[in-house]
Amino acid sequence: MSTRAGDEGTAPERAAASPIDMPWLEEPLRRILATLGAHALLIHGPGNVGQFELALALARGWLCERNELPLADRPCGRCASCRLHAARSHPDLLVLVPDAMRESLGWEQGESAAEENGEGGRKKPSKDIRVEAVRTAIAFATTTSARGRGKFVVVHPAERMNEVAASAFLKTLEEPVGDARFLLCSAAPDRLLPTIRSRCQQVALPIPPQAAAEAWLAEQGVAEPAVLLAASGGQPQDAAERAAGGLDAAAWLALPRRVAQGDASALQGWPLPLAVEALQKVCHDALCMAAGGEPRYFPRDHVVADASLASLLLWSRELARVAIEAEHPWAVDLAIESLVGQGREALKTPRSQHREARGLSLHSRR
Ligand SMILES: [Zn+2]
């Protein structure tokens, strides 16, 4: 869904004018493309701001075979290499992503470590980048480039390499072989081994300008992009993903009030990690307002503004505790109900409205 590297402009002008479909990445793309940089880049940013798309576009630009074009103006979108890249079958590009993310990234073809290990689709796809996949990448990196432009390994998200995988990867960074370059993408570089971080040239991507992000979301067909963008902390890809997952602006705006009413059905059917994250945002904004600050994820007039700091802090601690374990197989409905129940207590509206709120919550339970 979010992978646009395959979009092929047939008209040469179009391909040249828009090497990447996220306008806020055009400047870093051209700037980094103009050089070959270090043999390992760490592209990081706050959340998803296009790290993966930038890494793919860089690889595509460096692999492009139009010699008369300056590096910064590639990829041309038309040469054999660009076509192979668009078809996701370039022999000199290997993309390492957790198997669980392949589908959502639209990167199902190609170098699946699970396939190569004969695991097929039987097992639950891994959320980690495992050592087997890293070994495949290392072997790939040591062979000669098929089209003579070097080899590229994109690792996304790099922090999903588990400990063993990261150590194996570190060895390759320490003793580079051949003409391979590594493009690591990360939304949490502090979770990488410091030794991996220190061996990479760092590329920091900021949160995109709000107007550009909203325009991009509107182009993706997202209704009320401003609300969903704020809901995602300014990260357009997350906002697009949430919209695709069925979240609409009205439901988001109503969330703080519904939680204040103890209405757990507001989050029914949500995966626990997303539900906890949403509650953390409700709590965060209530805390900001209680402390005299500005909310971040909801407009001011949708935040429950009169809650007590002390009870919000208790709720916030409980949310943080559950967030750590949210990937575990909880009884999801019960966990959400319990967290919303604590939220209702924390967000307690003035006494006169409180009785009414409790009455409402009785009807909302399934
Ligand atoms: Zn090309």
Side-chain angles (χ1 to χ4, degrees):
M1 176 199 72
S2 54
T3 306
R4 298 285 159 147
D7 284 2
E8 206 42 21
T10 42
E13 311 75 44
R14 192 180 147 211
S18 179
I20 194 157
D21 86 336
M22 295 176 173
W24 60 90
L25 296 178
E26 275 174 24
E27 188 279 325
L29 175 64
R30 286 183 199 285
R31 178 167 42 84
I32 304 165
L33 264 185
T35 70
L36 269 175
H39 88 286
L41 293 188
L42 171 58
I43 305 170
H44 61 90
N48 283 326
V49 290
Q51 291 92 322
F52 183 58
E53 285 72 13
L54 181 61
L56 287 178
L58 284 168
R60 190 181 189 187
W62 284 324
L63 286 166
C64 173
E65 292 166 9
R66 282 281 297 277
N67 288 326
E68 76 277 20
L69 285 177
L71 272 177
D73 291 336
R74 299 178 205 171
C76 71
R78 287 179 299 156
C79 69
S81 183
C82 283
R83 284 177 197 284
L84 283 166
H85 188 293
R88 298 181 179 181
S89 52
H90 200 296
D92 293 326
L93 171 66
L94 187 135
V95 174
L96 269 191
V97 297
D99 287 336
M101 286 174 65
R102 284 188 177 273
E103 197 183 334
S104 66
L105 289 172
W107 204 274
E108 289 173 274
Q109 295 85 12
E111 313 80 4
S112 165
E115 276 163 31
E116 284 175 22
N117 288 317
E119 288 168 12
R122 299 268 166 97
K123 264 192 181 173
K124 200 173 170 212
S126 174
K127 290 185 173 175
D128 285 343
I129 295 174
R130 289 172 305 166
V131 68
E132 295 84 1
V134 169
R135 290 204 184 107
T136 305
I138 294 170
F140 166 86
T142 51
T143 57
T144 312
S145 153
R147 299 190 66 87
R149 297 261 167 187
K151 308 196 75 152
F152 293 87
V153 177
V154 172
V155 187
H156 171 72
E159 65 271 18
R160 291 280 187 88
M161 285 190 281
N162 62 34
E163 217 171 295
V164 192
S167 313
F169 190 75
L170 178 62
K171 285 210 186 81
T172 309
L173 286 186
E174 282 172 334
E175 300 154 20
V177 278
D179 49 4
R181 286 168 189 282
F182 297 91
L183 302 168
L184 282 70
C185 310
S186 181
D190 53 322
R191 279 165 53 197
L192 294 172
L193 292 179
T195 37
I196 287 187
R197 275 204 309 271
S198 68
R199 278 177 171 76
C200 297
Q201 181 185 337
Q202 308 230 356
V203 177
L205 296 179
I207 290 263
Q210 193 177 336
E214 283 179 23
W216 179 80
L217 282 169
E219 265 173 43
Q220 316 296 307
V222 174
E224 303 223 41
V227 173
L228 287 189
L229 187 65
S232 309
Q235 294 159 17
Q237 282 176 299
D238 286 356
E241 228 168 83
R242 294 209 166 100
L247 178 63
D248 69 54
W252 181 257
L253 293 176
L255 188 61
R257 287 287 160 197
R258 290 182 73 182
V259 174
Q261 292 164 356
D263 179 0
S265 73
L267 295 168
Q268 201 162 42
W270 288 44
L272 188 57
L274 283 184
V276 173
E277 195 189 293
L279 291 173
Q280 283 180 311
K281 289 172 177 174
V282 171
C283 185
H284 171 275
D285 278 9
L287 271 169
C288 283
M289 296 276 284
E294 281 300 311
R296 178 173 180 205
Y297 304 104
F298 297 90
R300 274 187 82 88
D301 54 347
H302 287 77
V303 178
V304 177
D306 45 9
S308 92
L309 262 178
S311 57
L312 284 172
L313 284 171
L314 274 179
W315 186 35
S316 140
R317 255 178 246 140
E318 178 61 9
L319 287 167
R321 190 186 68 77
V322 177
I324 293 170
E325 299 165 8
E327 301 277 347
H328 291 198
W330 289 72
V332 175
D333 287 350
L334 283 179
I336 290 178
E337 251 177 60
S338 153
L339 290 172
V340 169
Q342 291 170 59
R344 183 192 60 199
E345 288 307 305
L347 295 167
K348 235 173 207 169
T349 44
R351 226 163 249 291
S352 57
Q353 292 169 34
H354 189 55
R355 187 160 304 170
E356 187 189 339
R358 278 167 70 176
L360 278 176
S361 72
L362 287 176
H363 295 289
S364 61
R365 300 275 285 274
R366 208 163 51 127

